[in-house]
Amino acid sequence: SGFVKMGIERYHTGTYLAAWTPKSERSGRWIRKVCMRRIAAVLLLIAAAGLPSLAGQTVTSPVDMGAKLNAQYAALPPSGGRITVPAGVYEFATPIVFGVRGKPADLVCEGNKSTTLHFTGAGVAYTADWGNDHDTHAHWGMGIHGCKFLGPGVQTASTAIQIGGKNGAEGWDGSGFYVMNFGTGAAWYDGPGGGIGGAGAPVFSWGTRMSQCGFSNNGRAFRFGASAGEAVLFDHCQISNYDTPNRSADVVVGDAHNEITFRDVSFDSAQLVVRDGEVLCDGCHFENVTGNTTLSNVVQTGGVLTMMAPNFYEDFPGGAVPASFIEQSGGTLSLYAPYFAIAA
């Protein structure tokens, strides 16, 4: 109970309706659910151990897939189109860049995340920078679907996905994809460009969405630059960190332009940091799955954070215990109907 109190005492701004249930009062059905989640987490950890080296997997083609996809993009009509990657395992050192203004492209991998794109190069593996299209929205819905991106290492300066650039990528949409072992999982461009305000003005990537996606064991899951702008949505995704104890700031929201929504997103041994902007967590799930962190689940130093019915499960039977559920030193926090579960 002292652990719960320690977390609740930090909610010194905004509104909260706190509710938690001791582990001893939970039903056997709920406990079985927790046990199954633990088993699943261990299996994921074991499976992930061999992925960075592609152990046991045969590369389908010796061709640099990045160079091949760039060539296919160049061959698309001026209005863009779809590029399909056959099921298999591919390596590429050449960054994939879909960056012609007014020419969006949908990258679709066959096999429902069984198709692996292993980036062995440096910098950004995939960049979408085909323009704002703020008036017609004709580019909306283009993005990545069904691909598994594997990076060169969490200690590298690599980034799996960059949304926007000097042109922007308004309405970018990704679903059913998986990102692992990059320095940064996904980043929104943060620099000057040819935006709506004219040459050199900041360019935005509004209305971007990621759904049914997974970001696991990256140095940082997301980096939100100023271009992220409004209406950025994560829907039914998992952000996890099973391999690095006490790794902080997996997800950082730090620009006044950021308006980010996390809907039914699981943060497993991953930390959310809010420094600025507006963030909505609707039905988010926070859990120290493998007992590998003593860091608070959520840290707020500024901005506006609204949490609707969040679930905090810090009941791992052994290992580390986070310092608090939410650590707040600034900004405005509104917390509604949270659920807290701690070890007996």
Side-chain angles (χ1 to χ4, degrees), residues 17-33:
L17 301 174
W20 69 280
T21 304
K23 192 171 184 178
S24 59
E25 296 181 13
R26 281 177 264 152
S27 67
R29 179 180 178 184
W30 192 93
I31 293 173
R32 286 194 297 273
K33 181 179 178 182

mmCIF file of all heavy atoms in Angstrom, residues 17-33:
data_model
loop_
_atom_site.group_PDB
_atom_site.id
_atom_site.type_symbol
_atom_site.label_atom_id
_atom_site.label_comp_id
_atom_site.label_asym_id
_atom_site.label_seq_id
_atom_site.Cartn_x
_atom_site.Cartn_y
_atom_site.Cartn_z
ATOM 1 N N LEU A 17 -9.192 9.915 -10.190
ATOM 2 C CA LEU A 17 -10.105 9.057 -9.461
ATOM 3 C C LEU A 17 -9.392 7.729 -9.296
ATOM 4 O O LEU A 17 -9.380 6.897 -10.186
ATOM 5 C CB LEU A 17 -11.422 8.883 -10.228
ATOM 6 C CG LEU A 17 -12.198 10.174 -10.529
ATOM 7 C CD1 LEU A 17 -13.396 9.855 -11.420
ATOM 8 C CD2 LEU A 17 -12.668 10.818 -9.239
ATOM 9 N N ALA A 18 -8.735 7.544 -8.167
ATOM 10 C CA ALA A 18 -7.872 6.379 -7.982
ATOM 11 C C ALA A 18 -8.674 5.182 -7.502
ATOM 12 O O ALA A 18 -9.551 5.299 -6.652
ATOM 13 C CB ALA A 18 -6.765 6.700 -6.995
ATOM 14 N N ALA A 19 -8.368 4.021 -8.059
ATOM 15 C CA ALA A 19 -8.990 2.777 -7.622
ATOM 16 C C ALA A 19 -8.018 1.645 -7.845
ATOM 17 O O ALA A 19 -7.484 1.496 -8.929
ATOM 18 C CB ALA A 19 -10.275 2.516 -8.399
ATOM 19 N N TRP A 20 -7.731 0.862 -6.814
ATOM 20 C CA TRP A 20 -6.831 -0.276 -6.982
ATOM 21 C C TRP A 20 -7.336 -1.431 -6.159
ATOM 22 O O TRP A 20 -8.072 -1.272 -5.198
ATOM 23 C CB TRP A 20 -5.393 0.086 -6.601
ATOM 24 C CG TRP A 20 -5.164 0.341 -5.143
ATOM 25 C CD1 TRP A 20 -5.452 1.482 -4.451
ATOM 26 C CD2 TRP A 20 -4.609 -0.565 -4.193
ATOM 27 N NE1 TRP A 20 -5.112 1.355 -3.140
ATOM 28 C CE2 TRP A 20 -4.582 0.114 -2.945
ATOM 29 C CE3 TRP A 20 -4.126 -1.874 -4.271
ATOM 30 C CZ2 TRP A 20 -4.101 -0.489 -1.784
ATOM 31 C CZ3 TRP A 20 -3.640 -2.464 -3.121
ATOM 32 C CH2 TRP A 20 -3.627 -1.773 -1.890
ATOM 33 N N THR A 21 -6.956 -2.617 -6.563
ATOM 34 C CA THR A 21 -7.397 -3.837 -5.900
ATOM 35 C C THR A 21 -6.199 -4.654 -5.467
ATOM 36 O O THR A 21 -5.347 -4.977 -6.304
ATOM 37 C CB THR A 21 -8.249 -4.694 -6.870
ATOM 38 O OG1 THR A 21 -9.333 -3.896 -7.334
ATOM 39 C CG2 THR A 21 -8.775 -5.937 -6.176
ATOM 40 N N PRO A 22 -6.067 -4.999 -4.195
ATOM 41 C CA PRO A 22 -4.955 -5.840 -3.756
ATOM 42 C C PRO A 22 -4.979 -7.167 -4.485
ATOM 43 O O PRO A 22 -6.042 -7.684 -4.847
ATOM 44 C CB PRO A 22 -5.224 -6.019 -2.258
ATOM 45 C CG PRO A 22 -6.113 -4.874 -1.885
ATOM 46 C CD PRO A 22 -6.952 -4.611 -3.100
ATOM 47 N N LYS A 23 -3.810 -7.741 -4.649
ATOM 48 C CA LYS A 23 -3.709 -8.994 -5.386
ATOM 49 C C LYS A 23 -4.509 -10.107 -4.713
ATOM 50 O O LYS A 23 -5.088 -10.971 -5.370
ATOM 51 C CB LYS A 23 -2.243 -9.396 -5.492
ATOM 52 C CG LYS A 23 -1.992 -10.531 -6.472
ATOM 53 C CD LYS A 23 -0.512 -10.715 -6.685
ATOM 54 C CE LYS A 23 -0.254 -11.780 -7.741
ATOM 55 N NZ LYS A 23 1.170 -11.955 -8.006
ATOM 56 N N SER A 24 -4.588 -10.068 -3.387
ATOM 57 C CA SER A 24 -5.291 -11.117 -2.659
ATOM 58 C C SER A 24 -6.788 -11.109 -2.932
ATOM 59 O O SER A 24 -7.478 -12.104 -2.718
ATOM 60 C CB SER A 24 -5.063 -10.943 -1.155
ATOM 61 O OG SER A 24 -5.519 -9.676 -0.732
ATOM 62 N N GLU A 25 -7.338 -9.987 -3.421
ATOM 63 C CA GLU A 25 -8.762 -9.885 -3.670
ATOM 64 C C GLU A 25 -9.129 -10.194 -5.110
ATOM 65 O O GLU A 25 -10.298 -10.204 -5.467
ATOM 66 C CB GLU A 25 -9.244 -8.472 -3.323
ATOM 67 C CG GLU A 25 -9.098 -8.149 -1.837
ATOM 68 C CD GLU A 25 -9.599 -6.761 -1.517
ATOM 69 O OE1 GLU A 25 -10.275 -6.161 -2.385
ATOM 70 O OE2 GLU A 25 -9.314 -6.271 -0.416
ATOM 71 N N ARG A 26 -8.142 -10.419 -5.964
ATOM 72 C CA ARG A 26 -8.455 -10.690 -7.357
ATOM 73 C C ARG A 26 -8.865 -12.142 -7.560
ATOM 74 O O ARG A 26 -8.449 -13.030 -6.836
ATOM 75 C CB ARG A 26 -7.250 -10.351 -8.237
ATOM 76 C CG ARG A 26 -7.143 -8.856 -8.473
ATOM 77 C CD ARG A 26 -5.922 -8.532 -9.274
ATOM 78 N NE ARG A 26 -4.834 -8.143 -8.362
ATOM 79 C CZ ARG A 26 -3.567 -8.309 -8.631
ATOM 80 N NH1 ARG A 26 -3.208 -8.869 -9.740
ATOM 81 N NH2 ARG A 26 -2.662 -7.914 -7.777
ATOM 82 N N SER A 27 -9.629 -12.368 -8.588
ATOM 83 C CA SER A 27 -10.170 -13.706 -8.819
ATOM 84 C C SER A 27 -9.116 -14.646 -9.378
ATOM 85 O O SER A 27 -8.100 -14.232 -9.920
ATOM 86 C CB SER A 27 -11.339 -13.625 -9.813
ATOM 87 O OG SER A 27 -10.865 -13.236 -11.077
ATOM 88 N N GLY A 28 -9.398 -15.944 -9.264
ATOM 89 C CA GLY A 28 -8.496 -16.938 -9.821
ATOM 90 C C GLY A 28 -8.380 -16.819 -11.322
ATOM 91 O O GLY A 28 -7.323 -17.053 -11.900
ATOM 92 N N ARG A 29 -9.475 -16.413 -11.964
ATOM 93 C CA ARG A 29 -9.449 -16.234 -13.413
ATOM 94 C C ARG A 29 -8.462 -15.146 -13.793
ATOM 95 O O ARG A 29 -7.708 -15.293 -14.749
ATOM 96 C CB ARG A 29 -10.847 -15.875 -13.897
ATOM 97 C CG ARG A 29 -10.933 -15.652 -15.400
ATOM 98 C CD ARG A 29 -12.345 -15.303 -15.800
ATOM 99 N NE ARG A 29 -12.432 -15.041 -17.229
ATOM 100 C CZ ARG A 29 -13.546 -14.628 -17.825
ATOM 101 N NH1 ARG A 29 -14.649 -14.464 -17.123
ATOM 102 N NH2 ARG A 29 -13.543 -14.413 -19.122
ATOM 103 N N TRP A 30 -8.464 -14.037 -13.026
ATOM 104 C CA TRP A 30 -7.533 -12.938 -13.322
ATOM 105 C C TRP A 30 -6.098 -13.390 -13.111
ATOM 106 O O TRP A 30 -5.217 -13.073 -13.894
ATOM 107 C CB TRP A 30 -7.841 -11.752 -12.413
ATOM 108 C CG TRP A 30 -7.141 -10.510 -12.822
ATOM 109 C CD1 TRP A 30 -7.611 -9.519 -13.627
ATOM 110 C CD2 TRP A 30 -5.811 -10.113 -12.468
ATOM 111 N NE1 TRP A 30 -6.675 -8.537 -13.800
ATOM 112 C CE2 TRP A 30 -5.564 -8.875 -13.099
ATOM 113 C CE3 TRP A 30 -4.806 -10.664 -11.687
ATOM 114 C CZ2 TRP A 30 -4.367 -8.196 -12.956
ATOM 115 C CZ3 TRP A 30 -3.605 -9.993 -11.540
ATOM 116 C CH2 TRP A 30 -3.396 -8.774 -12.173
ATOM 117 N N ILE A 31 -5.856 -14.166 -12.044
ATOM 118 C CA ILE A 31 -4.498 -14.634 -11.758
ATOM 119 C C ILE A 31 -4.008 -15.545 -12.873
ATOM 120 O O ILE A 31 -2.855 -15.479 -13.303
ATOM 121 C CB ILE A 31 -4.452 -15.354 -10.393
ATOM 122 C CG1 ILE A 31 -4.718 -14.326 -9.277
ATOM 123 C CG2 ILE A 31 -3.110 -16.045 -10.181
ATOM 124 C CD1 ILE A 31 -4.856 -14.945 -7.914
ATOM 125 N N ARG A 32 -4.896 -16.418 -13.393
ATOM 126 C CA ARG A 32 -4.507 -17.279 -14.507
ATOM 127 C C ARG A 32 -4.133 -16.443 -15.725
ATOM 128 O O ARG A 32 -3.189 -16.759 -16.448
ATOM 129 C CB ARG A 32 -5.649 -18.236 -14.850
ATOM 130 C CG ARG A 32 -5.834 -19.357 -13.845
ATOM 131 C CD ARG A 32 -6.725 -20.450 -14.406
ATOM 132 N NE ARG A 32 -8.059 -19.965 -14.683
ATOM 133 C CZ ARG A 32 -9.043 -19.939 -13.790
ATOM 134 N NH1 ARG A 32 -8.835 -20.363 -12.554
ATOM 135 N NH2 ARG A 32 -10.243 -19.494 -14.126
ATOM 136 N N LYS A 33 -4.862 -15.362 -15.936
ATOM 137 C CA LYS A 33 -4.558 -14.475 -17.053
ATOM 138 C C LYS A 33 -3.169 -13.874 -16.902
ATOM 139 O O LYS A 33 -2.394 -13.784 -17.854
ATOM 140 C CB LYS A 33 -5.604 -13.361 -17.133
ATOM 141 C CG LYS A 33 -5.394 -12.398 -18.289
ATOM 142 C CD LYS A 33 -6.483 -11.359 -18.303
ATOM 143 C CE LYS A 33 -6.263 -10.352 -19.426
ATOM 144 N NZ LYS A 33 -7.289 -9.299 -19.429
#
